[in-house]
Amino acid sequence: QTSYLNIQLSKFEGYSSELDIYSFQQEFEKLYLKSTPTEMLPDLLKNNYLSDPALSLVNSLDDINEIWKRLHKSYCIISKN
């Protein structure tokens, strides 16, 4: 059994979220990827860890990979150095 050590993951809503999309995905997957069936991940993510406007972008999607792609496309921050 994996212990979750009381890790709290805040909802991702977009640019105003505590974590950027990459960190958020990493934390979500750390918590659920091994213990949750793949087909349940989209609903788990959408129902518990996303809020608008990010939720609105992916609400119609049922594939976790497509959800991550859309969120990355919309919320990745590209450094202009």
Side-chain angles (χ1 to χ4, degrees), residues 20-34:
D20 63 59
I21 187 58
Y22 299 103
S23 300
F24 175 79
Q25 180 180 1
Q26 183 179 21
E27 292 301 312
F28 178 84
E29 289 179 346
K30 190 186 317 181
L31 286 171
Y32 296 109
L33 202 55
K34 289 183 182 179

Side-chain angles (χ1 to χ4, degrees), residues 41-57:
L41 290 172
D43 287 334
L44 176 66
L45 178 61
K46 292 187 295 185
N47 293 333
N48 298 292
Y49 293 103
L50 294 180
S51 60
D52 286 328
L55 177 60
S56 296
L57 285 172

